[in-house]
Structures are given as C-alpha cells and as structure tokens.
C-alpha cells in the first residue's frame, strides 16, 4: 500500500504571497515615494494656448454677424491669405465689370452701336463697338492707363459724370485694397516666430527660495524694443458660493514690482517667478504639482526695431512640461572679443538638488532652523542638557520627519558652535 502523505501548507517565497495588509502598506509607501522617473498617469489636457502661440478658442453660435461688417478693414486683414487674394481680385474685377456695363448701356441708349460706320456720328466714346470694348475702356479709365484708342468725347455729359464717378470710386478701391494688403504683409506675426521659448519650465532653488523659471530668446540681430514679459496661470476654480469658473486666469509675478519684467533681450534670459506667499504655488509640493491640472501662459511683447510695430509672442506650459528639480544649461560663452549664444543648448536642463516640499513648508523649516540657532548660540550647556533630556531617539525621529517632508536644510546651514 502506498503511504498517504499529510497535507502541508505551501511555503511562502520571499517577496511573494504577502498578507493583504502588508501589500497595501507597500503600495502606499511606494505611492508616497515615487522614483524620479515615475510620473502619474493623467488624461491629456486640452491646451488653451498652443506652443506656437495660437489661441485654441473658436467662436461659436455668433448670431450678430453684422458686427464683422462694421469693421470691414479688420475683417479683411484677419482673413486667410487665399480668401484675401480672392477678395482682392473680385473687388477689382467686379468694379471693372460694373462700370463696363454702364458704359455699354450709355452707348446702347444713345444709339452709338447702330452708327458704328457713320463717320458723321459723334459717339460718347470713340471706337466703343461692344461690351468687350466697354469693359476694356472701364479698365483703362480706372487704372489711368489711357492707351488713346478709346476716348470719351465732349458731346456726352452722362459719360463725363460717369468718368468722374469711376475715377473717384476707383481711387477709393485702390486705397482700401492696397491698404489691406500692405497691413497684412507687414503684420509682425512672422516676427514672433523668431522669438523662442524654452520647451519646458523648471522649478528649483534660487537664493534659497523656490522659483518657477522659463527661458526666452531672440534669434534675430534686430532687437525687440521695450520688451516686457507676463505670465498667466490658467486653472479652473470653484468659489465659496459653489460657482464654477472655467479657465480662471491668475497673474504670476515675474518682477513687475522690481522692474524685472522689462527685458533687454539681446541674449537669452531666464525669467523667474518667485514662489512666495502671494504665489498660487505657495502650498504646492512636488507631488501636489504633479497631480494638479493647470496651464501657464507666457506672453512677450515689444516693438520691432526695424518697423516700430508692436509684436507679441506667446507660449504655454502644461503640468507635464514643468520639471521639478531642474535648471537650465548655460548658453552664453565668452569668445575672442564677443559673446556667443549656443542655441543648441537652449532647451536643455540638468537636475539639481531641490527639496520636494512646498515653498511654505520650506519657509517654515528655515524659520524653525533660525529659531533653533538663535536659542542654541548663547549657552552650550543648555544645548547639552536638552540633548540629554530628549535622547538620541527623539533626534532621530525629528530628522526622519524632516527627511520625509523633503525639507532638510542645506549643509551650510548647520550650526557651528
């Protein structure tokens, strides 16, 4: 007979078959301390302003379309190029056809077309023998070409009045259409294409304070005069009364009070927004920033040095395009007698040690450190008594708490007694 072996519980392999509580705790710890390359998955956010500066907003259900006709000049300038060229051609062609038809009607009403071979007959317009000839005479009159073959006579008062009317209206059409095309050609939109923004924004320490930074540059040698920079935070919010405000705009200070928002844009500049108590990111830590949903719109304005026209360049940064703990690579080098800008490194960043806590927590940690230094300097004996009373365990617990918050003071901030 075969001997029946008693049932035994399967052995647990290390790292597998953990209890549910331990598994949940491990997942919670892993979620609390993500690796530098782990990014939370988020749904793709629709941009309010594209990277090239185009505003991603369309006007729908506009019923009062007559308002566009009240400002016809701006409407024509805002049209696409193919529509502008079509309107340009139609404006001249329809004007020539309209007056050509009137010249033909005058010749037909006077009977000039019936006395083409009569040399004793004085027509309104010499050598006008049909609609094509009237159309050509209309073109010659409005464009002041004057070939001399077809010419108006002094025996046609209605033709003289029509000639004066066409000359005046033709000048108005020329001024209107040439003005539209000139403004459309000279628009500074293409100048904005040579104003570049960094592909990412960064958050790192500057003078011991957290700052949100991005870089701007000008590719042309002709500079932007009176350049100024602005930044807007686009984020939906809900008021205390329950009102939902979509795409709420909040100003981000980039040096308006100190004048740092006015730029001398000869070489690329790093624009900094200090995260202080007035900043909307005052209480945002690294993890909170990654979970947030917002868009930062940056606007650079100035006058084109060559034309004197106002130019505006725009760009935006989503949450995924804000790098925490990075700094921009330097692009300016000193050569023999001049400075050289390397735009190959314009968008490059590198990692730097940066606390992962919020700016408020960092300020509180710095305040506690200053208070600790103030009370520890007068008496070294008090410090020894405090250390003996608290014990080593309390010190380790406080250090672990600071490390968990990511607000450890820099090494040079340690007290030296």
């Amino acid at each position: 007979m075969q001997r029946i072996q008693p049932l035994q519980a399967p052995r647990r392999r290390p790292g597998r078959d953990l209890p549910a509580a331990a598994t949940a705790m491990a997942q919670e710890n892993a979620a609390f301390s993500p690796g530098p390359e782990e990014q939370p998955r988020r749904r793709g956010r629709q941009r309010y302003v594209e990277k090239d500066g185009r505003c991603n907003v369309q006007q729908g259900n506009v019923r009062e379309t007559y308002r566009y006709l009240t400002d016809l000049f701006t409407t024509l300038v805002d049209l696409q190029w193919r529509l502008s060229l079509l309107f340009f051609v139609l404006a001249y062609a329809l004007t020539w056809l309209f007056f050509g038809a009137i010249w033909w009607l005058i010749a037909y009403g006077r009977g000039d077309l019936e006395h083409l071979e009569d040399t004793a007959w004085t027509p309104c317009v010499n050598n006008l023998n049909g609609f094509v000839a009237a159309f050509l005479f209309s073109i010659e009159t409005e464009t002041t070409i004057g070939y001399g073959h077809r010419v108006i006579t002094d025996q046609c008062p209605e033709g003289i009045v029509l000639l004066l009317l066409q000359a005046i209206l033709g000048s108005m059409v020329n001024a209107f259409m040439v003005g539209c095309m000139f403004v459309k050609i000279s628009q500074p939109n293409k100048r904005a294409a040579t104003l570049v923004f960094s592909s990412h924004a960064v958050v790192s320490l500057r003078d011991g304070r957290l700052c949100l930074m991005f870089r701007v540059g000008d590719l042309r040698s002709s500079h932007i005069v009176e350049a100024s920079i602005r930044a807007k935070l686009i984020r939906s919010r809900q008021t205390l009364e329950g009102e939902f405000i979509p795409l709420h705009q909040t100003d981000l200070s980039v040096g308006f009070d100190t004048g740092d928002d006015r730029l001398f844009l000869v070489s690329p500049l790093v624009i900094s927004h200090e995260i202080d108590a007035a900043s909307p990111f005052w209480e945002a830590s690294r993890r909170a920033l990654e979970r947030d949903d917002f868009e930062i719109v940056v606007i650079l304005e100035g006058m084109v040095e060559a034309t004197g026209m106002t130019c505006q360049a725009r760009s935006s940064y989503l949450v995924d395009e804000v790098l925490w703990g990075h700094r921009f690579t330097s692009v300016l080098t000193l050569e023999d007698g001049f400075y050289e800008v390397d735009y190959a490194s314009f968008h490059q960043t590198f990692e730097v040690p940066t606390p992962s806590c919020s700016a408020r927590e960092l300020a509180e940690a710095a305040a506690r450190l200053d208070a600790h230094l103030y009370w520890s300097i007068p008496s070294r004996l008090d410090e020894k008594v405090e250390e003996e009373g608290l014990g080593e365990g309390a010190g380790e617990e406080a250090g672990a708490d600071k490390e968990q918050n990511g607000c450890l003071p820099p090494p040079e901030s340690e007290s030296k007694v």
Side-chain angles (χ1 to χ4, degrees), residues 22-36 38 287:
T23 304
M25 185 178 298
Q27 293 177 355
E28 183 179 356
N29 293 336
F32 183 77
S33 302
E38 297 179 1
R287 286 186 54 80

Side-chain angles (χ1 to χ4, degrees), residues 121-133:
W121 181 265
T122 303
C124 182
V125 179
N126 291 329
N127 300 316
L128 197 152
N129 53 10
F131 181 77
V132 176

Side-chain angles (χ1 to χ4, degrees), residues 369-380 382-383 386:
L369 179 62
D370 293 340
H372 174 70
L373 291 177
Y374 175 79
W375 291 106
S376 63
I377 288 177
S379 176
R380 188 174 181 182
D382 295 339
E383 182 179 354
E386 182 181 357

Side-chain angles (χ1 to χ4, degrees), residues 9 46 62 87 132 204 226 232 265-266 286 323 355 359 392 412:
Q46 182 65 51
V62 180
F87 192 86
V132 176
S204 61
E226 296 292 334
K232 291 279 187 179
L265 197 58
V266 178
R286 178 174 183 174
L323 304 178
E392 296 180 357
E412 58 269 20

